[in-house]
Amino acid sequence: MSPPEASRIAAVVLSIALFASVFAPLFAAPAAANVTGEPEISLTAGDNRLSAGETTQLQVSVINRGEIQSGSSNPQVEQRATTARGLTIEPLDDGPITARSGETAVGNVQDGAAIPEVVQLTVAEDADPGTYEVPVRVRYKYTPFVGERGGFSQRDESVSVRRTVEVVVDEEADFEIRDVSAPAPGDSGAVELDLTNTGEAAANDAVVSLESLTEDLQLGTSGSSEAYVDRWEPGENRTVTLSGSVTDGAGIRALPASLSVEYTDDDDVPFTSRSTVGVTPDTGGVLAVAEVDSTAGPGEQGEIGITLEHTGEESLEDVTVDLTSREAGFTFGAASNSASAYIGSIAPGEQRTVTVGGQFAENARTRGYAVDMAIGYDTGETTGATQRNTVGVAPDDDQTFTFENVDSSLRVSQDGTLRGTFTNVGPNAVENVVVTLDPPNQNVEVLEPQVALGDLDSGESVDVSFDVEVASAARSGPRQFSLRTNYETLDDDERQADAIQFRQSVEPRRDVFGVEARNTNVSAGEESRIVLAVTNQRNETVTDVSAKLFASSPLSTSDDEAYIDELEPGETVEVPFRVSASGSAMQKDYPVSVDFQYVDSSGETRLSESYRVPVSVQESSGGLFGSVAPTSALGFAPLLLVPLAPLALRLRRRR
């Protein structure tokens, strides 16, 4: 081989080596992945059977079946996208089911995990048997986008969603007391209970227990007495006889006792039905007190009505009723402690009502005030017979509340406020008032459903507001809300008023920001400045707006953040970013996404949804190397020398 030929071969080999040293990494290096994914949280309960009128500890499993849209060969990166971090659950009231436990921290829930937690639920006494969906608010954070470039860059999102847990309210037996009889004061004997199974199921091996709640009523030898019923069909009446005694000073009034019926259903599942019963001693006469009514509230005058029923078999003549108040909080007529009325004759089975004037003190409690009653009458065989009873006369406590001047700013996929004026119409002052706003469905969430109003005098009003979040899945239109009122009387009795129903409209969805693409053309293999126009579409000023741009292959960004100090309603600001397109990018539109962290008018820091805008990749205008990604000057230096290598060798040989 001649020296010139050897020189030419060496020059070619050198050129190839230099070319490979520059371009081999561009073609040989594996592409780094951009991972996108999200958790998928569901809830389930194993033993999900509940009983009407009872509070149950329900075990709920929190399950994560994560989803990867764009994956990686690195499982740790994928796990970062599908893990729900700092997850909490909070059961919510719905229909006859009330949540007794608040927000519970579960922690991090990885893809494929099932973590058990316990929630406490109470089912209303009158709940119909059947299947119910209990709403549960689930909150967590996750990383929807993880880039392996740049040291695993990532962005986080906070999520608040509703899930449901299916529960079953069992068909059960239920027992209604039709009649109770007991010995007269000072006597002992039988206590008879006439009961009816008004439930949906039969009761097997039922044990009826009655326990006294007062010293004036003694049951059995230990304060309680029991009876056994083998099978109790729905709708069947039974009379249960127990043993007891009434003290001499008890008077003719209802004596409280606790009734329980323990039984098993046809599947051998045990149940217990509990209630409170009033045991009234035998009157010892033929006129029973059927009803006591009052139209007077605390500090008011009104009518007191006492209805008597003739339970004997012989007509009574010249019936008179003498009433004497035992307490200073209740008087008759013109501040007198006594009153009288004349009935005349009354036949067996007939009811007659004695009506007298009465007045309660200003500070009267909502309880029964003791009134002694002496009834005189004649029969065909006796003259001047007397029957004595004691009755309780309570102030009228028909409390009424209103919720008026209701207004709201509710909108789909937005937090709003519902406000109105709550008034205690009366007739009495009330204490420790708590109002609870129930949402119409699971797409509307009241963030703080309970508001404590404290004490309210009769006629007093107070303004009430609730923060309400409407889900993105909700539809616009009118919705029915319910406001429940719990309060205490002046006698510290807990009461619940009838729920107040009202309608409010949910307006259509309106995004926080409007994002418009401006100057979004990028040449393949080059970097360009793009501009996005951002508009505040809400009716409130937002501040501290931080914008972040996200791009995926073949696009990338070297300047992906921007800051806006303040955006007033309707104001538009242009925001620039720098975006690059790889040399292999096709000529078409590619999506980039941008989201915003901002502070709303209430001072809360919030994260917007992601907005997608197109970036148009055009043909490269960079000449021979326009499709090659930018490198350092040193990287191109060998390329510049390659064509000159053979020339340098030839010049050297000529010298």
Side-chain angles (χ1 to χ4, degrees):
M1 180 181 299
S2 64
E5 293 177 344
S7 298
R8 286 195 295 273
I9 293 173
V12 171
V13 171
L14 177 61
S15 299
I16 294 173
L18 290 172
F19 183 87
S21 68
V22 174
F23 286 98
L26 298 178
F27 298 99
N34 290 326
V35 176
T36 58
E38 60 182 346
E40 182 58 42
I41 303 298
S42 61
L43 306 175
T44 185
D47 184 7
N48 65 343
R49 309 190 74 84
L50 307 178
S51 298
E54 293 189 5
T55 299
T56 303
Q57 300 280 351
L58 183 70
Q59 182 167 294
V60 176
S61 293
V62 182
I63 302 171
N64 183 8
R65 298 183 178 92
E67 179 180 354
I68 291 291
Q69 287 89 30
S70 175
S72 166
S73 60
N74 187 342
Q76 292 182 346
V77 178
E78 291 189 348
Q79 185 180 95
R80 188 182 303 221
T82 58
T83 296
R85 303 192 306 275
L87 186 143
T88 64
I89 60 174
E90 181 181 6
L92 306 174
D93 297 348
D94 188 65
I97 300 178
T98 302
R100 296 301 183 189
S101 52
E103 190 171 23
T104 301
V106 179
N108 296 344
V109 183
Q110 296 182 354
D111 178 25
I115 300 179
E117 286 293 340
V118 174
V119 298
Q120 191 176 62
L121 304 175
T122 298
V123 183
E125 288 276 3
D126 57 353
D128 294 329
T131 301
Y132 294 84
E133 298 287 341
V134 178
V136 180
R137 180 166 54 200
V138 180
R139 290 175 172 167
Y140 59 89
K141 291 184 178 181
Y142 79 105
T143 307
F145 177 90
V146 182
E148 290 187 332
R149 300 182 182 92
F152 298 107
S153 61
Q154 64 183 45
R155 64 184 177 95
D156 294 339
E157 286 193 6
S158 298
V159 176
S160 177
V161 295
R162 282 202 183 190
R163 295 291 183 261
T164 58
V165 177
E166 184 177 280
V167 297
V168 177
V169 177
D170 285 312
E171 290 188 350
E172 299 181 36
D174 193 18
F175 302 94
E176 179 181 303
I177 302 171
R178 293 183 294 110
D179 191 24
V180 180
S181 64
D187 292 339
S188 60
V191 177
E192 291 189 347
L193 304 175
D194 289 340
L195 304 172
T196 301
N197 180 5
T198 58
E200 304 287 338
N204 298 314
D205 299 324
V207 177
V208 180
S209 300
L210 190 66
E211 181 180 359
S212 174
L213 301 178
T214 174
E215 295 181 353
D216 289 330
L217 175 64
Q218 301 296 325
L219 294 169
T221 58
S222 60
S224 64
S225 185
E226 295 180 348
Y228 174 79
V229 180
D230 53 358
R231 180 173 175 84
W232 209 330
E233 297 288 350
E236 183 180 1
N237 299 327
R238 289 293 187 104
T239 299
V240 176
T241 302
L242 307 171
S243 62
S245 63
V246 179
T247 62
D248 188 41
I252 307 300
R253 61 184 179 87
L255 305 175
S258 175
L259 174 68
S260 66
V261 182
E262 298 180 0
Y263 65 95
T264 59
D265 65 8
D266 289 337
D267 295 327
D268 291 331
V269 177
F271 292 93
T272 301
S273 173
R274 292 184 174 88
S275 61
T276 301
V277 59
V279 179
T280 303
D282 189 359
T283 62
V286 293
L287 289 174
V289 178
E291 185 179 7
V292 179
D293 188 30
S294 170
T295 63
E300 298 177 345
Q301 294 182 354
E303 292 185 343
I304 309 301
I306 302 175
T307 301
L308 302 175
E309 181 178 359
H310 189 350
T311 59
E313 300 178 354
E314 186 178 0
S315 294
L316 305 179
E317 303 293 338
D318 294 328
V319 180
T320 59
V321 179
D322 293 323
L323 303 172
T324 303
S325 174
R326 289 187 184 179
E327 303 181 63
F330 173 71
T331 57
F332 295 101
S336 172
N337 71 333
S338 64
S340 299
Y342 178 78
I343 294 179
S345 62
I346 180 171
E350 186 180 1
Q351 286 189 347
R352 302 290 294 274
T353 299
V354 176
T355 303
V356 296
Q359 179 176 347
F360 290 93
E362 188 70 36
N363 61 347
R365 305 293 187 176
T366 52
R367 61 174 177 82
Y369 284 77
V371 173
D372 292 332
M373 183 169 57
I375 304 174
Y377 57 88
D378 296 337
T379 68
E381 299 179 356
T382 62
T383 300
T386 302
Q387 174 183 320
R388 298 187 182 279
N389 298 68
T390 300
V391 296
V393 179
D396 180 27
D397 188 33
D398 187 15
Q399 286 293 129
T400 303
F401 303 94
T402 61
F403 191 57
E404 299 175 324
N405 305 322
V406 183
D407 184 29
S408 67
S409 59
L410 307 184
R411 187 177 293 275
V412 174
S413 189
Q414 185 175 332
D415 291 352
T417 302
L418 188 152
R419 59 180 63 85
T421 302
F422 182 85
T423 302
N424 173 23
V425 178
N428 304 319
V430 291
E431 299 176 341
N432 299 325
V433 180
V434 176
V435 291
T436 303
L437 182 64
D438 293 329
N441 55 50
Q442 65 180 11
N443 286 328
V444 180
E445 179 182 356
V446 184
L447 301 181
E448 294 289 343
Q450 288 190 342
V451 177
L453 305 182
D455 301 342
L456 293 178
D457 291 333
S458 178
E460 185 177 357
S461 298
V462 61
D463 291 334
V464 184
S465 64
F466 300 89
D467 293 329
V468 179
E469 179 182 5
V470 183
S472 58
R475 293 181 296 178
S476 60
R479 295 291 186 275
Q480 186 84 4
F481 289 83
S482 178
L483 187 71
R484 292 184 285 117
T485 305
N486 292 81
Y487 65 97
E488 293 180 1
T489 67
L490 298 180
D491 198 28
D492 297 331
D493 293 331
E494 295 184 0
R495 304 284 177 87
Q496 180 170 327
D498 293 337
I500 302 171
Q501 308 290 333
F502 62 94
R503 288 161 62 90
Q504 278 296 291
S505 180
V506 175
E507 299 300 321
R509 174 193 179 103
R510 185 170 65 194
D511 292 338
V512 181
F513 301 101
V515 179
E516 178 186 355
R518 296 182 182 175
N519 303 327
T520 56
N521 296 329
V522 179
S523 298
E526 297 182 5
E527 182 180 71
S528 296
R529 179 179 181 269
I530 71 169
V531 177
L532 303 180
V534 180
T535 302
N536 177 10
Q537 299 188 137
R538 292 286 175 89
N539 295 323
E540 63 178 10
T541 299
V542 295
T543 58
D544 297 327
V545 182
S546 297
K548 187 171 180 62
L549 188 75
F550 300 92
S552 57
S553 181
L555 302 179
S556 60
T557 174
S558 60
D559 179 14
D560 60 358
E561 294 185 354
Y563 177 78
I564 304 171
D565 179 60
E566 182 179 86
L567 265 182
E568 296 182 355
E571 184 181 1
T572 300
V573 173
E574 291 189 346
V575 178
F577 300 94
R578 302 198 69 83
V579 174
S580 302
S582 68
S584 60
M586 298 179 64
Q587 298 179 37
K588 63 176 183 179
D589 289 343
Y590 292 90
V592 296
S593 63
V594 61
D595 60 28
F596 304 89
Q597 180 176 290
Y598 63 97
V599 178
D600 63 16
S601 59
S602 64
E604 292 289 334
T605 300
R606 300 190 181 277
L607 181 66
S608 76
E609 62 180 33
S610 294
Y611 299 84
R612 292 166 67 87
V613 292
V615 171
S616 180
V617 175
Q618 301 178 344
E619 183 178 1
S620 171
S621 58
L624 175 64
F625 299 105
S627 61
V628 179
T631 61
S632 66
L634 292 177
F636 281 101
L639 295 179
L640 299 175
L641 296 175
V642 168
L644 302 177
L647 178 62
L649 291 173
R650 285 196 297 271
L651 291 174
R652 185 175 297 177
R653 286 181 56 83
R654 289 177 182 177
R655 291 177 181 175

